[in-house]
Amino acid sequence: MLVAALVLAGRAGAAAGPVVVVYPGHDRYANSQSEPIGPGSPVRKIKDGGGTRGVVSGLAEAELNLRVALRLKPLLAQAGVRVVLTRSATAGKSIGNVARAGIANRAHAALFLRIHADGAPSPSARGTHTLYPALRRGWTDDVYVKSRRAARLLQAELVRALGFPDRGLQERADFTGFNWADVPAVMVELGFMTNAVEDGLLATSAYQQRAAVGLCRGTLRFLGRPITACG
Ligand SMILES: [Zn+2]
């Protein structure tokens, strides 16, 4: 039933405008089951380690990611982009990255946007960075160039919107959610929740809105649409 609804959403989107699948990173509960890191791979990783937590705010990363996604959705909708969220509450056990990529694939998404925030052992680590799939024949060769372009645009707009240090781009060959994606995919790390300054700012509605505006602008630039709708 869910699958059918998503497929229909994808078809409707193709007629009405592009579909962007937004995954707010993690969920309320981690999922320690494993899954192959790519189609046919003997290498497996756990589905979801659960994410980080704000060192000052105490906010769970999953909740911050969701708040930004819920602010992003209406901005993109104003621009005629149909948004499919992989979750709309922080309430359950993580479904894992193969399932999330499947949602993006079935929706024929123009972009699979994964929203996360970072954590590090060092409290001084800070800044924004964006990850995208490394090139691997049979897995990501069909989406590599577009994903890299989306990552560049999203990183630039996020840094402009948030004003955090620019940690640049990173290719990843080991991300399950990238290797299973048949559509362009990126993962943004908004900032470090283990850094007191960035956590304190990201916990505010003003910075969550800034993040959403930056993501909206980057997404619309990637789609070749005017960014005026983003505010
Ligand atoms: Zn995360």
Side-chain angles (χ1 to χ4, degrees):
M1 203 63 182
L2 177 63
V3 171
L6 286 164
V7 169
L8 286 172
R11 285 186 189 142
V19 179
V20 170
V21 171
V22 176
Y23 157 46
H26 311 290
D27 207 328
R28 179 157 185 186
Y29 304 110
N31 189 332
S32 58
Q33 290 182 313
S34 72
E35 57 189 0
I37 66 159
S41 177
V43 180
R44 301 176 71 90
K45 279 172 62 175
I46 65 164
K47 288 188 175 180
D48 194 330
T52 187
R53 182 173 289 276
V55 69
V56 173
S57 68
L59 193 64
E61 185 203 332
E63 187 55 29
L64 171 64
N65 299 335
L66 178 66
R67 289 182 190 177
V68 172
L70 291 175
R71 287 176 180 273
L72 172 61
K73 184 175 179 178
L75 298 180
L76 288 174
Q78 280 173 42
V81 175
R82 187 183 179 96
V83 176
V84 175
L85 294 176
T86 60
R87 65 180 176 93
S88 52
T90 305
K93 189 178 200 177
S94 175
I95 60 173
N97 289 306
V98 175
R100 290 179 192 117
I103 293 171
N105 294 342
R106 287 191 297 273
H108 304 290
L111 181 66
F112 176 31
L113 175 56
R114 311 170 67 195
I115 302 175
H116 282 255
D118 226 333
S122 166
S124 63
R126 57 172 304 188
T128 300
H129 68 133
T130 300
L131 306 100
Y132 62 96
L135 182 59
R136 170 153 174 179
R137 189 171 298 177
W139 283 1
T140 62
D141 45 350
D142 50 343
V143 301
Y144 172 76
V145 171
K146 279 190 174 179
S147 299
R148 186 180 59 186
R149 182 169 164 268
R152 280 190 191 132
L153 294 168
L154 282 156
Q155 173 70 10
E157 291 294 347
L158 256 189
V159 167
R160 187 137 63 122
L162 290 172
F164 296 168
D166 185 351
R167 296 176 71 95
L169 304 180
Q170 191 186 15
E171 285 193 1
R172 292 298 290 254
D174 61 331
F175 276 16
T176 308
F178 287 161
N179 293 334
W180 285 86
D182 296 323
V183 298
V186 298
M187 178 164 147
V188 298
E189 295 278 8
L190 302 171
F192 280 79
M193 298 185 82
T194 44
N195 175 266
V197 173
E198 292 186 356
D199 174 45
L201 292 172
L202 286 170
T204 65
S205 54
Y207 268 74
Q208 289 160 15
Q209 186 66 22
R210 283 189 187 207
V213 168
L215 293 172
C216 177
R217 288 178 176 160
T219 299
L220 292 184
R221 284 179 64 192
F222 173 67
L223 297 175
R225 295 185 160 228
I227 62 170
T228 44
C230 300

